[in-house]
Amino acid sequence: METTGGIQASLSGRYAVALFDLARDGKTLDTVAASLAALKAAIAESADFKGLINSPVLSRDAAGKTIAAVASAMGIDALTTNFLGVLAQNRRLPQLPAVIRAYETLLSNHKGEARAEVTSAHPLSKTQITALQKSLKARVGRDVAVNAKVDPAILGGLVVKIGSQMIDSSIRTRLNSLALAMKG
């Protein structure tokens, strides 16, 4: 198995590897990735959906039926829907965000891409993300998949993580550095 070394060390990683292997064998890697992206957005945008996957009071059957109904309404592919059912039956739905991150990493590695976690104070436009990908590609020498998130606490600028490398050009960090320098 290529590219799965450290990912398999975690529970969510083992689930992600299983889903990735099934998707690769079924030639549906991108379809599953699109479904997982939709689920990731739903987790971020819907408190109800986030509550559903984290609910300790739902029985396995109720969680399975509910997640199947949600997946159907969202147009999630069959493999991902079945996978969600497995997570529900095993009481592992709270692991879904970590499984999605691990799957994204596996897919990027499979495609020969680097994966960048980018934090900005405001949402980035498609044009900005494309320009950032181009700049990062020049820096790392291969295509870069960007996972953008928003954190108003950084005030401005960007924080970019590619593997173990971090580029922090946030205003918050610059202000903290300035404050330390002034204390002298």
Side-chain angles (χ1 to χ4, degrees):
M1 172 103 308
E2 86 274 353
T3 72
T4 61
I7 289 176
Q8 282 188 328
S10 68
L11 177 66
S12 57
R14 289 191 295 275
Y15 277 102
V17 168
L19 178 60
F20 181 83
D21 288 345
L22 289 170
R24 186 182 53 206
D25 293 347
K27 300 190 182 346
T28 59
L29 286 170
D30 291 330
T31 304
V32 170
S35 291
L36 292 177
L39 289 166
K40 184 178 181 178
I43 293 167
E45 296 166 9
S46 170
D48 289 339
F49 187 66
K50 194 173 188 174
L52 165 68
I53 66 169
N54 290 308
S55 175
V57 296
L58 279 178
S59 70
R60 293 171 196 251
D61 287 339
K65 288 176 183 170
T66 306
I67 200 74
V70 168
S72 175
M74 290 178 66
I76 302 297
D77 70 280
L79 176 59
T80 306
T81 300
N82 290 342
F83 178 75
L84 291 171
V86 170
L87 288 179
Q89 283 302 309
N90 293 335
R91 292 205 169 278
R92 299 292 187 225
L93 280 174
Q95 293 287 317
L96 184 57
V99 170
I100 293 171
R101 281 191 304 275
Y103 184 92
E104 290 171 340
T105 300
L106 289 167
L107 186 59
S108 290
N109 290 342
H110 179 73
K111 291 180 173 183
E113 297 174 327
R115 184 139 207 94
E117 299 286 327
V118 178
T119 306
S120 60
H122 304 284
L124 298 175
S125 69
K126 294 254 188 231
T127 307
Q128 290 171 319
I129 289 176
T130 303
L132 182 60
Q133 284 174 315
K134 201 177 205 181
S135 175
L136 292 172
K137 181 179 180 177
R139 184 180 179 118
V140 299
R142 57 185 173 149
D143 287 338
V144 177
V146 172
N147 181 19
K149 62 183 178 181
V150 176
D151 180 4
I154 70 167
L155 303 175
L158 296 174
V159 178
V160 180
K161 292 180 190 170
I162 302 176
S164 61
Q165 190 177 32
M166 184 166 108
I167 305 161
D168 188 344
S169 67
S170 68
I171 292 175
R172 177 181 61 191
T173 299
R174 290 181 186 175
L175 288 173
N176 288 342
S177 298
L178 183 60
L180 283 172
M182 290 175 69
K183 285 181 183 177

